[in-house]
Amino acid sequence: MFTLPQLGYEFDALEPHIDAKTMEIHHDKHHGAYVEKLNAALAKYPKLQSKTIEQLLSGIKDVPEDIRTAVQNNGGGHHNHTLFWESMKPGGGQNVPEAIHKTFGNLDDFKDKMTEAAIGRFGSGWAWLVKSRNNLEVYSTANQDSPLMEGKTPILGLDVWEHAYYLKYQNRRPDYVEAWWQIVNWNVVSERLS
Ligand code: MN
């Protein structure tokens, strides 16, 4: 059984960048539903229930066909959101990893690249900083697809589903993305890279 992780901060902790109501619905209802549906999909396969979410997603091709899409969507949703909550903190973090400077030249160039991926993702999905073999890459995925399904390790993910920003930003996804940079927890990003 997978469980909905608690947020490490209050719903209103990321104000004014992300409003409390959005955080509450996003965490309790959206993420909650992914966890519930993931458990429901796994109910008839007891053997799969002992696997970690990382194992399920990186081995998605081995998941029985009748529940594969459900695990992809809801397992992806569970893992992506868990990472997302941990990647944010009030006031952000200062410890930008050296690897970002090394790969992208400087922090602003990295932000531009990730912002472009976030704004350019048509419809619902995620923008990612991932580790692929030994390189850092920026790209985006559709829906709740996890980089783990392609053998990449997610380091930092930005949710660009409308449910992540619509209450406060309506159609202004670029404004949401710009605000999000203020609350990125670089300390966690650095930890994931080491
Ligand atoms: Mn979401």
Side-chain angles (χ1 to χ4, degrees), residues 6-71:
Q6 288 208 311
L7 280 181
Y9 39 78
E10 301 297 319
F11 291 132
D12 65 0
L14 304 177
E15 296 259 14
H17 309 293
I18 301 182
D19 61 287
K21 196 71 192 164
T22 295
M23 286 300 293
E24 183 182 349
I25 297 171
H26 198 177
H27 177 269
D28 290 5
K29 306 294 182 193
H30 289 277
H31 190 175
Y34 295 129
V35 171
E36 209 169 284
K37 288 177 185 169
L38 173 62
N39 286 330
L42 296 175
K44 62 185 268 209
Y45 294 100
K47 267 192 185 160
L48 293 182
Q49 292 168 18
S50 58
K51 290 191 184 285
T52 64
I53 190 63
E54 288 84 0
Q55 287 169 334
L56 284 171
L57 292 170
S58 52
I60 192 73
K61 289 179 183 72
D62 303 322
V63 170
E65 207 178 343
D66 63 326
I67 62 162
R68 195 177 300 150
T69 302
V71 172

Side-chain angles (χ1 to χ4, degrees), residues 9-179:
Y9 39 78
E10 301 297 319
F11 291 132
D12 65 0
L14 304 177
E15 296 259 14
H17 309 293
I18 301 182
D19 61 287
K21 196 71 192 164
T22 295
M23 286 300 293
E24 183 182 349
I25 297 171
H26 198 177
H27 177 269
D28 290 5
K29 306 294 182 193
H30 289 277
H31 190 175
Y34 295 129
V35 171
E36 209 169 284
K37 288 177 185 169
L38 173 62
N39 286 330
L42 296 175
K44 62 185 268 209
Y45 294 100
K47 267 192 185 160
L48 293 182
Q49 292 168 18
S50 58
K51 290 191 184 285
T52 64
I53 190 63
E54 288 84 0
Q55 287 169 334
L56 284 171
L57 292 170
S58 52
I60 192 73
K61 289 179 183 72
D62 303 322
V63 170
E65 207 178 343
D66 63 326
I67 62 162
R68 195 177 300 150
T69 302
V71 172
Q72 177 173 338
N73 291 338
N74 298 293
H78 175 41
H79 191 258
N80 293 345
H81 285 86
T82 301
L83 208 85
F84 187 57
W85 311 131
E86 293 170 355
S87 303
M88 299 186 287
K89 85 175 231 205
Q94 307 311 315
N95 189 15
V96 178
E98 184 52 38
I100 289 204
H101 295 277
K102 235 178 185 168
T103 306
F104 300 98
N106 60 58
L107 182 58
D108 283 341
D109 285 355
F110 163 67
K111 283 183 178 176
D112 286 349
K113 208 161 185 185
M114 186 126 167
T115 296
E116 198 182 304
I119 294 171
R121 165 51 53 188
F122 183 76
S124 298
W126 290 73
W128 295 104
L129 170 68
V130 297
K131 203 169 184 177
S132 175
R133 298 205 169 78
N134 261 332
N135 299 316
L136 291 182
E137 267 175 29
V138 168
Y139 82 131
S140 70
T141 59
N143 304 312
Q144 294 295 351
D145 288 357
S146 166
L148 291 169
M149 300 185 330
E150 306 173 72
K152 302 172 197 273
T153 306
I155 304 294
L156 177 64
L158 170 54
D159 189 344
V160 294
W161 282 58
E162 284 187 345
H163 69 223
Y165 61 87
Y166 208 84
L167 287 182
K168 184 177 170 77
Y169 295 97
Q170 294 84 45
N171 60 319
R172 303 186 309 279
R173 187 189 288 185
D175 292 355
Y176 157 69
V177 174
E178 196 184 324

